Amino acid sequence: MGLWTFILLCVLTCAGLPFSTQDPNDEQCLTQLSLSIQDPDENLKNWTKTTFSNPCQGFTSYLQGATCNNGRIYKLSLSNLSLKGTISPHLSNCTNLQSLDLSSNSFTGQIPLSLSSLLNLAVMNLSSNRLTGTIPPQISFCAYLNVIDLHDNYLYGEIPQQIGNLARLSVFDVSNNRLVGPIPASLGNRTGNMARFNASSYLGNKGLYGYPLAPLRERGLSILSIVGIGLGSGLLSLVISFSAVCMWLRVTDQKMASEQEGKISHIMPDY
């Protein structure tokens, strides 16, 4: 009888526990993110301090663009909302975040290094913004990343080699930036079951080279060839023109000499 009483007490105790608890880190994450965002079209009207203190109830979210999982923010999708400002480094406080989509806005500034501490992150889509700076190599710390989409920004520098070590990476797009240098072999020559990325992932970066784009040597030769053809054509035209002038002068001289000789022979008497 004592055993059944103990079991009943345990069941009643567990039933009295809340389904989920709000993490204070999520509140700080959302608060700081809202402070770094400008929302001219007022698409985020319910992003208020009151809502930040309790954004989730189980799997239910009270914030536009946020998805909850057991009381935690695990997905932020704020794409195409005409948002401006910078990407808050405090996003790293949303430690349960698995998907971050801020695409098709007008965010400026750099990609925060602190995003590398989002160890559960699987999707990072920051495309079609106005981001500058380099791609942080620390992104490779997010070992679960499946998607890195950074196309149509103003990113410069080289593609970090470490990104090629992300075994789960299936989508990688850095097209239409200002990147330079070689495409890391760890990305261009992926083997085994790793996803391979074609040239469209890198187009629009004049300084990038290496497979699947053309190697640097071929690009250099093509430029030299164009210059050589131009110079060769000009030189050939000059040689032909000079030769024509020389031939005309020679023919003219011979004609004049012949005429002069005829005049002299006509004047001289016969002996």
Side-chain angles (χ1 to χ4, degrees):
M1 191 68 178
L3 178 61
W4 287 107
T5 303
F6 176 76
I7 293 174
L8 180 60
L9 288 173
C10 289
V11 171
L12 292 174
T13 302
C14 293
L17 292 175
F19 180 74
S20 61
T21 57
Q22 173 61 31
D23 193 304
N25 287 331
D26 281 0
E27 180 179 358
Q28 184 181 6
C29 165
L30 297 169
T31 300
Q32 295 298 326
L33 178 60
S34 68
L35 292 175
S36 68
I37 288 178
Q38 300 171 27
D39 180 21
D41 294 345
E42 298 184 353
N43 290 307
L44 305 177
K45 289 183 178 180
N46 66 341
W47 279 54
T48 63
K49 185 177 181 180
T50 302
T51 314
F52 295 155
S53 63
N54 188 27
C56 299
Q57 185 62 43
F59 293 91
T60 303
S61 168
Y62 301 119
L63 283 176
Q64 180 176 346
T67 305
C68 298
N69 181 13
N70 197 26
R72 296 293 311 279
I73 299 290
Y74 93 100
K75 182 177 180 180
L76 279 175
S77 182
L78 304 176
S79 63
N80 199 25
L81 295 177
S82 301
L83 302 177
K84 300 180 180 180
T86 59
I87 300 175
S88 171
H90 295 279
L91 270 172
S92 59
N93 287 311
C94 287
T95 55
N96 201 47
L97 197 64
Q98 298 179 32
S99 177
L100 176 63
D101 185 356
L102 304 178
S103 62
S104 301
N105 287 294
S106 298
F107 286 109
T108 57
Q110 300 186 0
I111 300 173
L113 295 177
S114 59
L115 295 185
S116 62
S117 63
L118 295 172
L119 301 182
N120 295 313
L121 196 64
V123 175
M124 179 189 293
N125 188 352
L126 308 178
S127 63
S128 299
N129 280 287
R130 300 176 182 177
L131 299 175
T132 57
T134 59
I135 301 174
Q138 293 87 346
I139 287 178
S140 61
F141 296 162
C142 304
Y144 292 104
L145 272 173
N146 289 292
V147 176
I148 298 178
D149 193 348
L150 305 174
H151 75 264
D152 286 285
N153 279 289
Y154 299 102
L155 301 172
Y156 53 81
E158 297 188 359
I159 299 175
Q161 296 184 3
Q162 295 89 332
I163 292 180
N165 298 328
L166 293 168
R168 299 171 181 260
L169 195 62
S170 59
V171 175
F172 181 70
D173 191 348
V174 292
S175 59
N176 299 318
N177 279 281
R178 298 173 178 177
L179 300 171
V180 297
I183 295 174
S186 55
L187 282 171
N189 299 313
R190 289 163 71 87
T191 58
N193 295 324
M194 290 185 174
R196 294 169 175 80
F197 313 114
N198 57 33
S200 63
S201 295
Y202 307 100
L203 293 177
N205 296 279
K206 295 183 179 180
L208 274 184
Y209 60 88
Y211 186 83
L213 299 181
L216 178 63
R217 181 176 300 176
E218 287 186 10
R219 289 191 169 195
L221 284 175
S222 63
I223 294 173
L224 289 176
S225 299
I226 293 172
V227 174
I229 290 171
L231 291 175
S233 300
L235 182 60
L236 180 61
S237 300
L238 182 61
V239 170
I240 292 174
S241 300
F242 182 77
S243 300
V245 171
C246 290
M247 291 178 64
W248 180 80
L249 290 174
R250 179 176 296 179
V251 170
T252 303
D253 288 340
Q254 290 177 352
K255 185 177 180 180
M256 291 179 64
S258 178
E259 291 177 353
Q260 188 69 22
E261 183 178 352
K263 290 180 180 180
I264 294 174
S265 61
H266 179 70
I267 298 173
M268 293 292 293
D270 293 329
Y271 293 99

